[in-house]
């Protein structure tokens, strides 16, 4: 059993982006078994369960970062994650049913039954921030990760990524962030 | 001094939000923001960028960790998946060996060491001149053995009982007769008698007539099985 990390610490760390690796491993070690068991009880396969565990963790992170998760005195993190799991599974099942229906309609030549509501329902919430970040160039991602996550100095980044000078790193960082903001504002 | 260069100013605003700016410079920045809306907007952008980066980088880390866990788990599962196969085989072989051993112990009769030609059966005797009692002991012993070979264990038991009525038997011969009697009891379904006699033989301190480990196990197993039916 991993050493107990208080829920307050988990939330604070994820919100600040600190020790995400450790917190993720803790959450996985502590709750993945019950999540997988729950999915299997609902008729899911082991691969489904593994996928859902990952989605549940990411969704939990989004909820913390976006302030959707409120820590109350009686909050049971395990029960909360099972709640996310249930919604994820239902959404997956609904999506599967719709996909089969669409295949059926396509085969029989009927109209596509999709409505704007169903499209919204099928579109799983994804972190916009991460999606935008992925759209940046590789050097941008490396520089921003090195500076903000790994907290490397500008000098080290300049040397590691052969950017020449500290000024050049600042300039690159600035442009990358502007691009990120631009992507986010579209 | 707040820089006029946008790149440097961005760095300064980041320092301000992270609490890394000197007090004097912070106050100066705050004063300037009261009148400079462009600077205020820039600060909002920096804050927004930092929020986006915190979330994106946290998710990036979490995804990487989950990927790593998945790899580790699949490696463990792969190696673990070998374990049950191995253990299954071990358990299967062990079960088969147990069945074989139990069958062997149940089917194969107890084989006692040959004591047929031990003419030193009685103490202080001249082997050329056996007394009437001594002769009775010898004759009954050999008769009992012959009955055992023929499968007539009731009669065999009777002969060995006669042997044991003779006093002053040498320990070796006495124990041999007792063992033969125990086996005869067992084979003639007199399990209680067999069990009582075997218990005594089993716990003898200085056994003169040595029966091997395997034959003792055979005896115990047969008595155990018989005990289940009693």
């Amino acid at each position: 059993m991993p050493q107990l990390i208080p829920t307050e610490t988990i939330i604070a760390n994820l919100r600040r982006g600190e020790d995400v690796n450790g917190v993720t491993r803790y959450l996985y070690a502590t709750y993945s078994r019950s999540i997988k068991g729950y999915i299997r009880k609902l008729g899911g396969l082991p691969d489904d369960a593994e996928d859902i565990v990952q989605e549940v963790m990411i969704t939990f992170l989004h909820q913390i970062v976006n302030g959707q998760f409120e820590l109350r005195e009686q909050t049971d993190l395990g029960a909360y994650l099972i709640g996310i799991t249930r919604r994820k599974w239902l959404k997956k099942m609904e999506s599967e049913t719709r996909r089969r229906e669409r295949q059926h309609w396509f085969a029989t030549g009927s109209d596509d039954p999709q409505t704007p509501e169903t499209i919204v329902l099928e579109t799983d919430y994804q972190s916009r921030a991460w999606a935008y970040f992925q759209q940046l160039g590789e050097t941008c991602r490396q520089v921003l990760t090195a500076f903000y996550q790994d907290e490397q100095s500008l000098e080290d980044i300049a040397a590691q990524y052969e950017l020449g000078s500290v000024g050049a790193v600042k300039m690159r960082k600035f442009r990358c962030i502007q691009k990120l903001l631009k992507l986010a504002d579209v | 001094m707040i820089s006029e260069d946008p790149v440097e100013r961005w760095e300064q605003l980041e320092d301000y939000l992270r609490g890394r700016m000197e007090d004097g410079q912070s106050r100066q920045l705050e004063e300037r923001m009261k009148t400079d809306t462009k600077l205020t907007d820039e600060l909002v952008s920096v804050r927004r960028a930092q929020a986006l980066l915190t979330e994106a980088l946290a998710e990036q880390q979490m995804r990487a960790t989950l990927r790593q866990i998945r790899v580790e788990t699949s490696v463990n599962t792969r190696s673990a998946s070998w374990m049950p196969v191995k253990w299954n085989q071990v358990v299967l072989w062990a079960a088969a060996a147990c069945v074989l051993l139990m069958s062997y112990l149940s089917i194969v009769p107890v084989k006692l060491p040959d004591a047929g030609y031990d003419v030193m059966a009685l103490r202080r005797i001249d082997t050329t001149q056996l007394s009437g009692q001594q002769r009775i002991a010898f004759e009954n012993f050999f008769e009992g053995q012959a009955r055992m070979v023929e499968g007539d264990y009731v009669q065999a038991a009777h002969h060995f009982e006669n042997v044991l009525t003779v006093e002053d038997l040498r320990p070796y011969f006495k124990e041999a007769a007792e063992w033969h009697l125990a086996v005869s009891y067992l084979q003639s379904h007199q399990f209680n008698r067999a069990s009582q006699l075997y218990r005594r033989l089993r716990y003898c301190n200085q056994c003169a007539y040595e029966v091997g480990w395997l034959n003792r196990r055979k005896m115990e197993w047969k008595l155990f099985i018989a005990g289940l039916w009693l």
Side-chain angles (χ1 to χ4, degrees):
Chain A
M1 237 355 233
Q3 198 184 350
L4 184 74
I5 301 180
T7 308
E8 295 87 345
T9 310
I10 292 172
I11 293 165
N13 282 1
L14 290 181
R15 194 164 279 157
R16 288 195 297 260
E18 287 174 8
D19 191 26
V20 177
N21 177 44
V23 171
T24 305
R25 282 187 179 276
Y26 172 79
L27 289 173
Y28 191 93
T30 312
Y31 301 109
S32 68
R33 189 186 283 259
S34 56
I35 293 173
K36 287 178 190 174
Y38 185 73
I39 293 296
R40 278 198 289 271
K41 254 192 241 173
L42 295 174
L45 299 169
D47 274 353
D48 294 329
E50 193 62 51
D51 289 342
I52 298 269
V53 168
Q54 308 222 357
E55 285 180 33
V56 168
M57 301 285 170
I58 300 285
T59 302
F60 180 58
L61 170 71
H62 294 158
Q63 293 188 349
I64 287 174
V65 173
N66 297 318
Q68 288 168 277
F69 177 81
E70 280 182 42
L71 182 64
R72 297 195 184 92
E73 216 170 296
Q74 301 297 321
T75 303
D76 176 357
L77 201 50
Y80 186 82
L81 293 175
I82 288 292
I84 299 178
T85 307
R86 185 169 51 243
R87 286 199 297 279
K88 287 272 167 203
W89 180 252
L90 290 176
K91 198 170 274 186
K92 185 180 165 68
M93 287 297 96
E94 215 161 315
S95 167
E96 282 288 309
T97 309
R98 261 174 241 288
R99 188 179 57 77
R100 278 198 291 272
E101 280 173 2
R102 273 204 303 280
Q103 282 174 346
H104 173 74
W105 266 297
F106 182 75
T108 54
S110 308
D111 290 337
D112 192 333
Q114 269 202 319
T115 62
E117 289 77 21
T118 63
I119 293 168
V120 169
L121 193 67
E122 281 184 27
T123 311
D124 200 1
Y125 175 78
Q126 288 222 329
S127 164
R128 304 285 182 271
W130 184 73
Y132 300 141
F133 188 76
Q134 294 305 304
Q135 290 177 44
L136 298 175
E138 193 183 351
T139 310
C140 268
R141 291 202 304 271
Q142 285 173 335
V143 168
L144 294 176
T145 302
F147 186 77
Y148 292 102
Q149 183 182 299
D150 304 338
E151 297 185 339
Q152 286 186 35
S153 68
L154 294 169
E155 289 82 1
D156 286 349
I157 296 170
Q160 191 174 342
Y161 298 105
E162 296 174 353
L163 294 173
S165 63
V166 166
V169 177
K170 283 183 184 174
M171 177 61 80
R172 178 61 70 104
K173 186 164 78 73
F174 179 73
R175 283 182 184 164
C176 292
I177 290 173
Q178 295 307 311
K179 191 175 175 186
L180 182 70
L181 284 169
K182 200 174 169 188
L183 285 165
D185 288 338
V186 171
Chain B
M1 184 71 184
I2 306 303
S3 175
E4 293 306 314
D5 174 47
V7 178
E8 280 302 325
R9 199 163 57 246
W10 187 274
E11 294 288 327
Q12 287 176 328
L13 290 172
E14 273 192 346
D15 285 346
Y16 172 73
L17 285 180
R18 289 174 162 206
R20 291 176 184 170
M21 190 180 256
E22 286 175 13
D23 287 349
Q25 207 174 5
S26 290
R27 276 195 295 278
Q28 191 189 357
L29 181 73
E30 283 159 6
E31 278 301 314
R32 194 168 149 183
M33 275 194 290
K34 285 176 185 169
T35 53
D36 189 345
T37 51
K38 190 173 166 251
L39 190 62
T40 312
D41 288 346
E42 277 184 52
L43 186 70
V44 170
S45 290
V46 172
R47 189 174 280 132
R48 168 123 173 84
Q50 288 205 337
L52 279 168
L53 281 166
T54 303
E55 185 177 355
L57 292 171
E59 186 167 344
Q60 180 172 259
Q61 268 186 286
M62 185 175 262
R63 283 180 184 276
T65 306
L66 288 169
R67 243 190 332 268
Q68 182 61 32
I69 290 172
R70 199 160 191 167
V71 170
E72 290 164 7
T73 312
S74 69
V75 168
N76 289 341
T77 311
R78 264 205 301 277
S79 52
S81 70
W82 280 98
M83 293 300 282
V85 173
K86 268 191 174 173
W87 280 111
N88 282 350
Q89 286 177 348
V90 168
V91 169
L92 225 85
W93 280 110
C98 278
V99 169
L100 274 173
L101 180 67
M102 286 190 288
S103 306
Y104 174 79
L105 294 176
S106 306
I107 295 165
V108 178
V110 179
K111 191 175 184 321
L112 298 175
D114 198 354
Y117 301 100
D118 187 348
V119 288
M120 296 298 287
L122 302 179
R123 285 178 181 167
R124 299 182 304 278
I125 60 162
D126 177 359
T127 54
T128 57
Q129 293 179 345
L130 293 174
S131 69
Q133 268 215 325
Q134 290 160 348
R135 197 165 295 283
I136 288 168
F138 272 109
E139 282 175 358
N140 272 296
F141 189 84
F142 298 134
E143 193 61 30
Q145 280 191 320
R147 295 291 185 181
M148 279 178 88
V149 171
E150 290 163 14
D152 187 354
Y153 292 103
V154 176
Q155 280 303 314
H158 178 68
H159 286 295
F160 291 122
E161 281 169 351
N162 286 342
V163 173
L164 292 169
T165 56
V166 176
E167 287 179 3
D168 205 21
L169 283 172
R170 204 161 65 90
Y172 176 89
F173 196 79
K174 190 182 175 200
E175 276 179 34
E178 283 174 339
W179 267 103
H180 281 78
L181 180 58
V183 173
S184 298
Y185 281 151
L186 179 73
Q187 295 296 94
S188 58
H189 306 293
Q190 301 177 67
F191 299 124
N192 282 335
R193 286 180 168 183
S195 187
Q196 278 171 14
L197 192 52
Y198 177 69
R199 222 173 293 142
R200 211 168 63 224
L201 291 165
R202 186 184 177 188
Y203 295 114
C204 73
N205 288 329
Q206 291 173 321
C207 299
Y209 180 78
E210 281 188 11
V211 176
W213 180 87
L214 188 62
N215 282 301
R216 284 170 182 268
R217 299 294 87 76
K218 280 189 216 167
M219 190 75 183
E220 283 166 12
W221 178 254
K222 286 173 201 289
L223 286 171
F224 170 72
I225 293 292
L228 293 178
W229 299 104
L230 286 176

